[in-house]
Amino acid sequence: MDFINIGERTQARWQQSLDTLARVLGIRVAAIMRRHPGGLTVLLSSNTAGNPLAPGMRIAATPGGSYCDAAIDAREPVYVRNALDDPRWRDSTMVRAGFVSYLGYPLLLPDGQAYGTLCLLGTREWPLPEVHRAIVDDFHSQVEDTLAQAYENALFGAQQDTLPSAALTVDARGAVARANRRFPQLWGIEADAASLAGRPLEEVRGLLASRLRDPADIDDALPTDVPGHGAEVPAQSARGPGSRPVPLADGRMLRRTYRTLRDEHGRPWGSVWLFEDVTAEVRAQEALARSEERLKLALDAASEAHWDWNFETGELYCSPRYYEMLGYVPGEFECTHEALRDLMHPEDMPEVAAALCVPETGLAVAGMATTDPAMAHAVAGECGVGQFEVQFRLRTKDGGWKWMLARGRVLARREDGSPARVVGTHMDITAAVSQRLALGRSEELFRGIFSTASVGIVLLDRFGLLVRVNDACARMLGYATDEMRGQHFSRFMHEDETTLAATTLTRLLDRTQTTSRLQHRLRGKDGGYLWTDISASPLEGPNGEVEAALAIIVDINEQRSAQQAQEDSERRYRALFENAQVGIFRTRISDGRFLEANSRIIEMYGWPDRAEFMDKMRSTEWYVDPEARGRMVTTLLRRGEFRNMEVEMRRRDGSTVWFEYSGKLDGDTIVGVAQDVTQRRAAEAARQRSEAHYRLLFEAAADAIFLHDPEGRFLDVNEVACRRLGYTRGELLAMTPEELEAPEFAEHVPERIRRLDEEGSLTFESAHRTRNGMTLPVEIHAKILDFDGRPVVLSIARDITDRKRLEQALMREATTDPLTGIRNRRQFFVEAEREMGRAARYGRPLAVLMLDLDRFKRINDRFGHHAGDAVLLGCVQACQQSLRDTDILGRLGGEEFAAVLLETDLDDALAAAERLRRAVEEMAVPFGGQDLRCTVSIGLALHVPGDTAFDDILRRADAALYAAKEAGRNRVVLTRAANGGVEDQNRRWSSGGAPRQEG
């Protein structure tokens, strides 16, 4: 606990109180003891005669413990009236020293650690009156309160060294109390942090002034008239403690914030100034100003309202959405700063003004007075570099109130620094604010930097135990702070990183490492892991010894996930980019320089070395026709893209090739793909050279050929088309493709023409309507050709009637039994699985019958297989007549059949099975002059919730079928449960189908 510093004035006051206590209580010793690992050290002791305890004296721990050990262990006061009467203390060291009476209080820090004890010792029996006990209780409370404040100040000092901001602490006398390591680095001054301590503030101000863009701004950058070493200053005064921009001579921009430091009595003893590098933020604001017009256009189409205030002209513009959010018609009232101020809820003004760091009475700007907080904050720029974010209520047209989130920034300033133009947005956040206000009513304000930090902060002792954990860290991992406090840090670390973390902690504690910043995975209460950025530094006591380590934890889980996703996307893009079979490139429009190129495009141009290609290749120099690139660029600038443009290019070896380019405009570059179409063009040229032959083929072809323009007018048809469709050539030329198509295909004609125009060729199936009304299935291959200088569509229609018939026959063969014409085994299982899934999904009843003809082999053996086939057909007819059209009947093989009864419960299933059994029993199949008869055994099973597949039901039905066979055949047997239990339904039904009497 050496890092807790007790001031000289406080120690003097405690010394006086100890002397008074010893005198009033009539005791020998009144002392404050400080705990250390080997025992206790006397911090202060009363100046009484015979007192053997002197400040600085170390008292080693003894076997059995001392009076003070008992108070610390009990964590409550311990009173010993006469140790000679108490067996526990009779032989203790203190009694042997003559101290037989004792009153001790543990001194506990805010996190529960024991600092030491308040120790009162007497040499005789000591009755303790209540009035004396009250005096000691009051002094004990004062000491603990002072220790708590000192402990918080010590933590605050240690935390400064781990902050990302530069921190300078100044005491009430105007001298530097301490500066963290970041302070001289950020300001770029030639002095280390330790050497700044003790210097007058004016001397440090001189060092900082030389680093400012204007040295005269030092009073704004680091004022002297602030609480802690001067009178109280309003929060938004010109040199007050609010957030302010600080421009440096090297072009960087800092942001300065301030906090007053108070002692254990709440009195200001100093101040701390925090400086943060916000250069990137300022540059981002400048970039935002350059894109202002585009932002304004985007906002006009967005759900947010926006406004634009020009202080040079006095004009204030409010977008139409501004009026609509409040229930007004755009322009229904004149948008002025006075009008917006009047719409503000009056109760919000004090809170909003305080949040925006502006006086409630208003702020004079550009000769006008305004109390509109959105405008005032943007104008003042006191809480940031000319930007703001604030919430408040505005009155709607119907008299209600809506919560608004206002954001804005200063886009331009005048020479004197005052705003010239401010823009901002208003968003309706009524619902969100209602939820946030409800939540805010149940939350407590954090106290001190430790508890108010938005990042996790933990304090670890030399053994790696978490001495203190702030709320942010506990929330981050899903724990309560009490659940984490006292635990070893390894409990929350990923097992792969525990060793590294332990090594880092050891180095921090033994001074071989001054700071640490690592990314670790921390385990939450739910068992999941969270990526964090952990910055740690040792915590030193006044004697220079390292007492503990302080770690700041930032949640970077989303950042890591986004980074990983970006890396994965980049890898996929690069893999596609480099392995594509077409050339992919990005070139500048101005000079044709390649900014990106994959291996294929380099190969197409004939360059062996990528580096040389990227350095020397300029696409503008390699066109055979220099005007071709001009036409390409013109199309690109007009349409934003070009497609399938064929251009003749030169390769590096001087040979020429034809490329087909497609590309899009991307800023001042072209992103495109290229294919080598040299061979395709050669083939096209060969086709053109044989055009005369095509005309002969046109008439001699075995397929119907049609030639029509893109508007759908037939230009020519061949003889096969006329003969196949039954029309004369003149009749066909007077028709359109829509009239020729069968009705179900006619509506697709316009879409096909559109696709053909985009793609150049198309293959599809359709049907033509003949003169006598028949439908002729055809497969059409269509292509756009250049015919006498104009585009035409050439369509070749092949009669696919035989193919369609074959497809239908193959489908029937694949799904039906060739003998009976019902579903074959495969098709039956496909439909049965589908219906079983539907029954399970909607909770509908479903039954399955397994049928097997009794003694069917005898029929085959006696009358031959033709007779057996006739019996099978008769059985199928009987089943189809007995079952519904919606039921599924299939032949599984030989004389075995199965049926799925949809929407059928037990009673209906039994009735259907019995009806089917009687129908087979009663059928007579004529064959060879006589009637053949047979019977059928039926196994019945119902779908139950435990069934996961159709096979589950079928196995039960099959078991019931075999039970029917074993029971004598020609009967229905039911399985009632998944365990295979069966019930012979012949006990319920007679051969005529009527229920039998039991017994």
Side-chain angles (χ1 to χ4, degrees), residues 219-234:
D219 287 335
D220 289 331
L222 188 60
T224 56
D225 51 349
V226 295
H229 45 85
E232 294 286 343
V233 177

Side-chain angles (χ1 to χ4, degrees), residues 64 223 461 469 896:
D461 65 13
V469 181
E896 190 174 51

Side-chain angles (χ1 to χ4, degrees), residues 590-594 605 607 615-626 629 648-652:
S590 59
D591 59 2
R593 181 184 182 90
F594 280 84
Y605 273 108
W607 290 68
D615 181 52
K616 298 180 179 180
M617 178 63 182
R618 301 293 184 271
S619 64
T620 53
E621 303 170 0
W622 297 80
Y623 286 82
V624 174
D625 178 8
R629 187 173 190 272
E648 189 175 14
M649 306 293 294
R650 285 195 303 273
R651 288 167 54 88
R652 190 183 186 194

Side-chain angles (χ1 to χ4, degrees), residues 397-443:
K397 186 176 181 179
D398 60 7
W401 297 95
K402 282 191 175 183
W403 278 98
M404 297 293 168
L405 172 62
R407 295 190 180 100
R409 64 178 64 237
V410 177
L411 292 185
R413 295 185 181 274
R414 297 169 175 158
E415 293 183 358
D416 61 359
S418 62
R421 191 175 184 184
V422 182
V423 298
T425 64
H426 281 185
M427 178 189 296
D428 184 350
I429 58 167
T430 304
V433 169
S434 298
Q435 296 176 357
R436 177 172 56 80
L437 291 177
L439 179 62
R441 285 190 294 269
S442 65
E443 293 180 346

Side-chain angles (χ1 to χ4, degrees), residues 201-237:
L201 179 60
E202 282 301 327
E203 181 180 339
V204 176
R205 278 163 49 91
L207 293 174
L208 302 188
S210 64
R211 303 296 299 158
L212 295 175
R213 186 168 62 193
D214 183 357
D217 291 339
I218 187 61
D219 287 335
D220 289 331
L222 188 60
T224 56
D225 51 349
V226 295
H229 45 85
E232 294 286 343
V233 177
Q236 287 289 349
S237 68

Side-chain angles (χ1 to χ4, degrees), residues 137-200:
D137 285 345
D138 183 62
F139 179 60
H140 168 256
S141 297
Q142 294 179 26
V143 173
E144 276 202 338
D145 289 346
T146 302
L147 285 173
Q149 185 63 45
Y151 181 66
E152 293 294 340
N153 287 340
L155 288 179
F156 169 72
Q159 186 181 3
Q160 284 191 11
D161 285 336
T162 60
L163 289 175
S165 303
L168 182 72
T169 304
V170 182
D171 62 21
R173 298 170 299 174
V176 175
R178 76 187 317 271
N180 70 351
R181 300 183 182 93
R182 178 72 175 139
F183 185 81
Q185 297 172 1
L186 183 66
W187 278 93
I189 58 178
E190 295 181 356
D192 57 29
S195 67
L196 294 176
R199 295 191 187 186

Side-chain angles (χ1 to χ4, degrees), residues 529-551:
Y529 286 94
L530 185 75
W531 274 104
T532 60
D533 184 290
I534 303 179
S535 300
S537 62
L539 188 67
E540 299 178 354
N543 59 358
E545 295 183 0
V546 176
E547 295 286 345
L550 189 70

